Amino acid sequence: SQICLQELDTDQGRSFSAFLIMEVTVAGIAIGVALIIVGALMALGAATRSEFVLYRLIAARAELCCGQYKHRFLLVSGGLVMLFGCLIALGVVPSRGHSE
């Protein structure tokens, strides 16, 4: 659905409508929730320095890139994955086939 935010006035007296395109679909919500869960598990594993097998595999890869800061890197990237999942679930980030 398209949502008109507001009527904006410019300095020249012209006005235009600002539109925020929000395409909220069931698939977008499902993908967004899945990303939020993955990001939360990644951030939780980094915060607790987990010994879970999947986290150790991800941490080993992060250690090649970031060295001793691997847990910080995974904490921040887990937060970014959660943020991106929220944006997809809310429809702010359009779906793949969406074009204007």
Side-chain angles (χ1 to χ4, degrees):
S1 64
Q2 293 183 356
I3 300 171
C4 178
L5 291 180
Q6 60 185 346
E7 192 78 19
L8 299 174
D9 292 324
T10 61
D11 292 337
Q12 292 82 20
R14 292 183 235 135
S15 64
F16 63 93
S17 295
F19 284 93
L20 174 65
I21 305 300
M22 297 181 69
E23 192 70 32
V24 180
T25 62
V26 175
I29 293 172
I31 291 170
V33 168
L35 283 173
I36 292 168
I37 292 170
V38 167
L41 290 175
M42 203 161 111
L44 182 65
T48 61
R49 297 180 184 221
S50 176
E51 291 298 319
F52 184 60
V53 175
L54 291 177
Y55 180 75
R56 285 192 309 183
L57 290 172
I58 295 170
R61 285 289 185 185
E63 188 173 16
L64 295 174
C65 175
C66 302
Q68 66 182 4
Y69 301 109
K70 64 184 175 185
H71 298 294
R72 280 189 202 163
F73 172 76
L74 290 172
L75 184 67
V76 170
S77 59
L80 291 175
V81 170
M82 286 190 293
L83 176 67
F84 191 66
C86 289
L87 293 176
I88 289 176
L90 293 174
V92 175
V93 176
S95 62
R96 193 174 200 178
H98 182 69
S99 64
E100 283 297 311

